[in-house]
Amino acid sequence: MSWIQREIRLNERRRGCHLVHKEIVGQVPEIKSFKIGMANVFLQHTSASLMINENFDSDVQKDMEMGLNKIVPENFPYIHTAEGPDDMPGHLKSGIVGVSLNIPITDGKLNLGTWQGIYLCEHRNSGGSRRVVVTLQGQQNKK
């Protein structure tokens, strides 16, 4: 069994849900060397999140952001307000959605469904670039 770990950066994005599948896979070319395995994708932040969702219709991304804002409103009387009105809602959304994904690898590709892709959900108005640790484990192709 082989292990590979990479720390990558995702470009800064505006608040919302963004398809980042190609950006992640493009920075971890070692995925192609695995016959079978698992990829753990871990976001090192507390006010953004990762999810797997539809990769075809961009309206899903807009609706996801709208739904999360309805579930976790900014105008709630939060106690933690030192970092701005979008910070505590960002922490709550991150806790609800999560910061880690486990995805099977089959024949050098992430084995997602036809319409699935990896999203970064940016919950801050100005979150900056985001750090992600990708850990691969499994059986690599014979050389």
Side-chain angles (χ1 to χ4, degrees), residues 39-82:
N40 176 266
V41 184
F42 177 76
L43 181 67
Q44 295 182 311
H45 297 276
T46 61
S47 56
S49 57
L50 294 172
M51 73 166 65
I52 295 173
N53 222 303
E54 172 153 347
N55 66 3
F56 181 73
D57 186 350
S58 61
D59 285 345
V60 173
Q61 296 167 39
K62 296 171 192 142
D63 288 344
M64 192 65 64
E65 171 67 6
M66 185 173 49
L68 287 170
N69 288 335
K70 183 81 171 168
I71 294 166
V72 182
E74 245 181 58
N75 60 357
F76 193 77
Y78 299 108
I79 297 167
H80 172 73
T81 59

Side-chain angles (χ1 to χ4, degrees), residues 2-139:
S2 298
W3 290 83
I4 295 174
Q5 189 171 76
R6 293 271 176 259
E7 185 174 314
I8 64 173
R9 281 207 175 266
L10 299 178
N11 293 325
E12 180 174 354
R13 288 178 166 76
R14 62 179 166 71
R15 184 175 172 164
C17 296
H18 308 277
L19 190 60
V20 295
H21 185 99
K22 289 180 183 176
E23 186 176 355
I24 290 173
V25 170
Q27 293 185 63
V28 189
E30 297 88 349
I31 293 169
K32 294 175 186 168
S33 72
F34 281 81
K35 180 169 180 50
I36 188 170
M38 290 295 293
N40 176 266
V41 184
F42 177 76
L43 181 67
Q44 295 182 311
H45 297 276
T46 61
S47 56
S49 57
L50 294 172
M51 73 166 65
I52 295 173
N53 222 303
E54 172 153 347
N55 66 3
F56 181 73
D57 186 350
S58 61
D59 285 345
V60 173
Q61 296 167 39
K62 296 171 192 142
D63 288 344
M64 192 65 64
E65 171 67 6
M66 185 173 49
L68 287 170
N69 288 335
K70 183 81 171 168
I71 294 166
V72 182
E74 245 181 58
N75 60 357
F76 193 77
Y78 299 108
I79 297 167
H80 172 73
T81 59
E83 298 176 61
D86 63 339
D87 187 51
M88 190 59 219
H91 293 315
L92 283 169
K93 291 173 187 175
S94 178
I96 291 168
V97 176
V99 296
S100 184
L101 302 172
N102 287 310
I103 305 169
I105 302 169
T106 306
D107 294 327
K109 295 180 181 175
L110 297 180
N111 195 346
L112 293 173
T114 302
W115 306 111
Q116 291 182 317
I118 302 171
Y119 281 25
L120 169 72
C121 298
E122 177 56 65
H123 305 305
R124 299 293 310 267
N125 293 327
S126 298
S129 65
R130 297 299 193 171
R131 292 181 321 277
V132 176
V133 177
V134 180
T135 303
L136 309 176
Q137 71 176 48
Q139 178 186 341

